[in-house]
Amino acid sequence: MADILPFRKPRASDKHRGNTLCRNGHHQWKIDKERVFDTKKGRLVTQLRCRRCGKVKTRLL
């Protein structure tokens, strides 16, 4: 069988779901374990990434 595709335009509420909290500074930070060492400063760092918008924040240990 063929896949059924939605032909209607997504609503604005579906398109921007979760982004309004991030725009107001209420990010949902999660620790990103891929990069732990900062090569420029030579320090151990904790890199945090927002689950909703993907913004990255770096914190020193």
Side-chain angles (χ1 to χ4, degrees):
M1 286 287 180
D3 294 331
I4 298 174
L5 300 173
F7 287 110
R8 63 186 172 121
K9 186 176 176 181
R11 295 183 301 203
S13 62
D14 293 335
K15 185 178 175 185
H16 300 292
R17 175 161 287 165
N19 290 336
T20 56
L21 290 170
C22 291
R23 276 186 275 167
N24 292 323
H26 300 287
H27 294 280
Q28 198 171 32
W29 298 111
K30 180 182 176 186
I31 295 175
D32 189 16
K33 296 183 181 182
E34 291 181 12
R35 189 177 137 212
V36 190
F37 191 74
D38 187 13
T39 55
K40 290 184 181 178
K41 294 186 179 181
R43 300 179 183 172
L44 287 173
V45 294
T46 302
Q47 188 174 21
L48 303 169
R49 185 175 300 272
C50 180
R51 290 183 189 179
R52 286 184 281 240
C53 66
K55 187 175 179 179
V56 177
K57 177 168 87 169
T58 305
R59 211 171 47 181
L60 291 176
L61 287 175

